[in-house]
């Protein structure tokens, strides 16, 4: 029985998704229940404790198939968007509502309880959050949950940006956060994923999975804007032939960095470029 990657296949020794029966070993196989993320962003944890490692984040409107919930308020399931598996707080989830129609297309927008922008905002939503919009005027869109959002900050769900590098560049200066995927904190693969999703390209969550699945092999001598440069455990976006754009723990933020400097710095830490991929 070939081992499946547990990051993107919902199985544990004691419990697994029903569709994996015959592919993995588990004591019990269960059908999942689809729920929807209610919070602006919800941590996806490695284990069910609030101080556990952040593996990723789920955004408002995203669907999650839940296979297990415990008595401490945690649910274990798989995100629909990228297939990532982890633990999420049960109070961040709710039943399926009206299907989302729009998404946030700016780094972050505010949702107000009415059209009066002098009132305290009721929510702060990150890029990629999804909402069901039920009405709109020339300034505001109103969500099914009663949020008033600036119409300029939303796009139809199927709208696509044209340049994923330009999307990534909006995150310049964002703090580095392992597992993060918003302008409050983002990691290297999160930056690539969020930016590619904005242009309609499906993208795995982690750098090693991105390296396996995205694009075609290219070379350092033929770099162009939008190429992805991979090291073990890291990915960077080529901004131009001599410059990278990436979220990294050395600078602790999203930065431009000369390609030569990054290669030398990472080589000094014991790692070489493993591939360059062109989308």
């Amino acid at each position: 029985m070939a081992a499946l990657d547990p990051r993107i296949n919902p199985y544990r020794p004691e419990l697994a998704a029903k569709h994996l029966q015959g592919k993995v070993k588990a004591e019990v196989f269960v059908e999942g229940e689809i729920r929807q993320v209610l919070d602006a962003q919800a941590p996806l944890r490695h284990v069910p404790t609030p101080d556990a490692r952040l593996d990723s984040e789920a955004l408002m409107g995203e669907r999650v198939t839940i296979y297990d919930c415990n008595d401490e308020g945690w649910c274990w399931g798989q995100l629909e968007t990228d297939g990532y598996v982890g633990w999420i707080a049960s109070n961040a989830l709710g039943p399926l509502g009206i299907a989302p129609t729009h998404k946030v297309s700016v780094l972050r927008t505010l949702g107000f309880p009415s059209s009066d922008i002098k009132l305290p905002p009721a929510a702060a939503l990150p890029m990629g959050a999804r909402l069901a919009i039920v009405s709109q005027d020339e300034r505001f869109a109103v969500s099914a949950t009663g949020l008033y959002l600036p119409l300029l900050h939303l796009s139809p769900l199927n709208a696509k940006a044209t340049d994923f590098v330009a999307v990534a560049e909006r995150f310049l200066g964002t703090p580095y956060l392992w597992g993060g995927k918003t302008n409050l904190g983002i990691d290297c693969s999160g930056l690539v994923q969020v930016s590619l999703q904005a242009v309609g390209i499906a993208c795995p969550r982690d750098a090693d999975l991105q390296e396996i699945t995205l694009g075609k092999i290219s070379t350092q001598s033929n770099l162009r804007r939008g190429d992805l440069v991979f090291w073990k455990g890291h990915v960077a976006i080529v901004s131009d032939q001599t410059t990278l754009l990436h979220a990294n723990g050395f600078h602790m933020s999203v930065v431009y960095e000369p390609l030569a400097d990054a290669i030398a710095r990472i080589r000094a830490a014991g790692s070489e470029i493993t591939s360059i991929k062109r989308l």
Side-chain angles (χ1 to χ4, degrees):
M1 188 178 294
L4 298 180
D5 191 333
R7 292 175 295 175
I8 52 175
N9 291 280
Y11 71 95
R12 314 193 310 256
E14 68 277 16
L15 184 144
K18 185 74 172 178
H19 69 267
L20 294 179
Q21 194 162 10
K23 299 178 181 179
V24 300
K25 293 181 179 180
E27 295 175 12
V28 178
F29 292 87
V30 299
E31 297 285 358
E33 177 185 345
I34 299 176
R35 299 187 192 175
Q36 191 164 306
V37 177
L38 302 179
D39 288 359
Q41 59 198 80
L44 193 74
R45 303 284 182 190
H46 194 64
V47 296
T49 61
D51 58 351
R53 188 182 80 194
L54 179 67
D55 280 349
S56 190
E57 292 179 301
L59 306 183
M60 176 179 282
E62 187 166 7
R63 291 185 170 193
V64 188
T65 302
I66 297 300
Y67 296 98
D68 185 26
C69 291
N70 65 22
D71 294 334
E72 285 72 50
W74 292 91
C75 292
W76 181 74
Q78 183 174 33
L79 304 184
E80 181 179 81
T81 305
D82 60 15
Y84 220 73
V85 175
W87 291 91
I88 189 168
S90 57
N91 59 12
L93 303 171
L96 293 181
I98 301 173
T101 59
H102 288 70
K103 61 185 177 182
V104 176
S105 53
V106 295
L107 286 184
R108 192 165 291 269
T109 192
L110 299 177
F112 296 90
S114 76
S115 59
D116 184 355
I117 62 173
K118 296 179 181 179
L119 292 176
L125 307 182
M127 178 183 285
R130 303 174 183 184
L131 307 103
I133 299 302
V134 295
S135 66
Q136 64 183 62
D137 58 26
E138 65 276 6
R139 290 192 65 199
F140 288 97
V142 184
S143 77
T145 58
L147 289 176
Y148 285 70
L149 301 111
L151 191 59
L152 289 172
H153 293 178
L154 303 178
S155 298
L157 203 58
N158 60 357
K160 298 177 183 179
T162 56
D163 181 356
F164 92 90
V165 183
V167 176
E169 287 171 334
R170 297 193 216 169
F171 286 88
L172 278 167
T174 296
Y176 179 83
L177 175 66
W178 180 277
K181 50 190 287 186
T182 78
N183 71 320
L184 295 182
I186 200 163
D187 64 14
C188 65
S189 56
L191 180 65
V192 170
Q193 184 187 58
V194 169
S195 303
L196 287 178
Q197 287 175 340
V199 299
I201 297 176
C203 178
R205 179 62 181 88
D206 289 344
D208 63 323
L209 299 175
Q210 293 172 358
E211 184 172 15
I212 292 168
T213 60
L214 294 176
K216 297 180 180 180
I217 293 292
S218 189
T219 62
Q220 188 176 335
S221 62
N222 188 35
L223 284 180
R224 72 182 185 197
R225 181 178 171 87
D227 287 349
L228 301 177
V229 182
F230 290 93
W231 289 265
K232 183 178 180 181
H234 187 64
V235 59
I237 302 167
V238 174
S239 175
D240 59 46
Q241 286 188 328
T242 62
T243 310
L244 297 179
L245 171 69
H246 57 156
N248 65 87
F250 179 80
H251 296 95
M252 287 305 295
S253 64
V254 178
V255 298
Y256 289 123
E257 184 175 15
L259 174 64
D261 290 358
I263 290 173
R265 176 174 59 79
I266 298 174
R267 178 177 291 150
S271 184
E272 299 284 348
I273 290 175
T274 53
S275 72
I276 295 172
K277 304 295 283 292
R278 177 159 297 167
L279 301 175

